[in-house]
Amino acid sequence: MEAVRGEPDRQGVVVESARSALEGEADGRPEVGLVLGRLCEAAGQVRYAEQWYRNSADAGGVEAAGIVGKALAERGEVVEAVPYLERAAEAGNRYAQGLLVTVLVGRALFWLDRGAEGGSRVAADYAGRLRTARDAVPDTVEE
């Protein structure tokens, strides 16, 4: 794609050629979906890129799982993002690990707040503690 940067027509030809050649090879091969996703993304075909990343992730692709999880979380689709982020985090993806923590803390607070609204003192207590821990500045940060 570097060779045709800035030439959308040629980028489209590259993507279509790759898609034609590789599409039949993508089933069960996460690396193929990842390559097609990257090509589509480089050509600005974001919707197609995400489809290919999702195909790759669903076929077991760890790198693609992190990409899909991040995209879903950024759109606020956190429940759907969690399994993808977990797979990437379990494989050692540090970014996915951090994002997964952020997403899960947010989900926990969501449910703790619902419980507190329903009268649960335990939920209110845990929500307060979790917010305090989340908002605390780590000792290692210099201000």
Side-chain angles (χ1 to χ4, degrees):
M1 292 298 287
E2 186 65 34
V4 292
R5 183 178 301 276
E7 299 181 53
D9 291 339
R10 288 187 181 193
Q11 286 179 343
V13 170
V14 169
V15 170
E16 286 309 311
S17 296
R19 189 178 298 154
S20 294
L22 296 174
E23 205 164 39
E25 304 293 321
D27 280 348
R29 296 185 57 202
E31 68 280 6
V32 175
L34 182 64
V35 166
L36 288 167
R38 291 209 185 283
L39 283 170
C40 289
E41 184 176 22
Q45 299 174 0
V46 178
R47 191 180 79 214
Y48 292 119
E50 188 170 330
Q51 288 173 351
W52 283 114
Y53 288 142
R54 193 177 289 245
N55 287 344
S56 175
D58 291 344
V62 175
E63 185 176 351
I67 293 167
V68 172
K70 178 181 183 237
L72 290 168
E74 287 175 348
R75 284 199 306 261
E77 299 174 35
V78 294
V79 173
E80 193 175 352
V82 168
Y84 291 105
L85 291 173
E86 284 180 337
R87 188 167 340 125
E90 287 170 356
N93 180 319
R94 297 281 184 225
Y95 182 83
Q97 291 168 350
L99 184 54
L100 180 61
V101 167
T102 301
V103 166
L104 292 176
V105 166
R107 292 302 296 160
L109 286 170
F110 173 85
W111 287 110
L112 288 168
D113 288 343
R114 298 299 84 65
E117 289 167 5
S120 171
R121 284 188 273 176
V122 171
D125 180 54
Y126 277 119
R129 289 190 212 183
L130 186 52
R131 277 194 176 82
T132 298
R134 179 194 66 186
D135 297 340
V137 177
D139 293 340
T140 57
V141 175
E142 293 182 25
E143 294 187 33

